[in-house]
């Protein structure tokens, strides 16, 4: 009979995600992952098929966690506009790590995991690229539905394309990640978020 795993699969992936966020994929060694997760090299290769396997599974878990976080955008049509504002303002603090690992050491390490991997690996790693796009799609879909709710409530121009606005806001929050990672203050990041919110197209009075 096979021996049962003696480690918490999710915790290992969450800890590995934190390491990848901090030092990047190419800057992270298998030994770094072992130190971060407490799992030996042999166990890492047996359970995840090495560093790349850890990355792909960590990105998959991250996508699922994003989906749960995006549930904050769901709700009644009334209040949808304010939920969009909250979505933008939450970007000031970055994307939180999982609850079972220590918090990020700085704002750079709190940047979106999918965006960080997409920027580093790009099209050179089709599997990572696909998972990054899945993460972006999870966010954009939830934002688009919230935009539609705000449109039904008369708070956003009904002629605006919800998908276009969703990707605009997604681009803004990921841009906030980049600006925040480069050391700009929370006040500056908040100003960016509020300015983006103010630019949402409102209904035209006829």
């Amino acid at each position: 009979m096979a021996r049962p795993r003696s480690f918490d699969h999710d915790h290992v992936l969450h800890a590995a995600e934190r390491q990848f966020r901090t030092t990047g994929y190419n800057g992270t060694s298998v030994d770094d992952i072992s130190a971060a997760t407490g799992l030996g090299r042999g166990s890492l290769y047996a359970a995840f098929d090495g560093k790349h396997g850890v990355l792909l599974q960590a990105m998959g878990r991250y996508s699922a966690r994003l989906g749960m976080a995006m549930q904050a955008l769901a709700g009644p049509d009334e209040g949808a506009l304010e939920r969009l504002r909250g979505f933008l303002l939450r970007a000031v603090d970055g994307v939180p790590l999982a609850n079972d690992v220590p918090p990020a050491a700085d704002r750079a390490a709190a940047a979106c995991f999918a965006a960080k991997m997409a920027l580093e690996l790009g099209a050179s790693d089709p599997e990572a690229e696909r998972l990054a796009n899945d993460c972006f799609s999870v966010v954009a879909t939830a934002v688009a539905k919230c935009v539609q709710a705000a449109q039904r409530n008369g708070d956003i121009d009904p002629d605006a394309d919800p998908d276009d606005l969703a990707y605009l806001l997604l681009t803004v929050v990921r841009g906030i990640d980049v600006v925040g990672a480069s050391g700009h203050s929370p006040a500056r990041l908040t100003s960016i978020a509020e300015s983006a919110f103010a630019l949402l197209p409102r209904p035209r009075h006829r």
Side-chain angles (χ1 to χ4, degrees), residues 14 17 21 58-73 87 90 94-98 110-115 131-140 142-143 170 173-174 177:
H14 295 161
E17 174 197 324
R21 281 207 209 189
M59 291 183 72
R61 286 291 196 277
Y62 177 71
S63 180
R65 205 164 76 245
L66 271 183
M68 293 179 64
M70 288 302 103
Q71 292 176 10
L73 285 171
F87 167 72
R90 282 192 294 276
V95 182
L97 292 162
C112 172
F113 181 40
L131 287 166
N133 282 323
D134 286 348
C135 291
F136 300 148
S137 179
V138 163
V139 175
V143 174
L170 172 60
V173 298
R174 293 300 164 253
D177 270 349

Side-chain angles (χ1 to χ4, degrees), residues 3 6 9 12 37 42 52-53 61 69 74 82 90 103 108 110 124 131 141 153 164 166 169 172 185-186 189 194 201:
R3 294 177 60 188
S6 58
H9 193 83
V12 167
T37 63
H52 193 249
R61 286 291 196 277
E82 192 59 29
R90 282 192 294 276
S124 66
L131 287 166
T141 297
N153 200 54
D164 285 348
L169 296 186
V172 169
S185 69
L189 305 184
E194 292 284 19

Side-chain angles (χ1 to χ4, degrees), residues 35-46:
T37 63
L39 204 61
R41 290 173 61 94
S43 296
L44 281 171
Y45 277 100

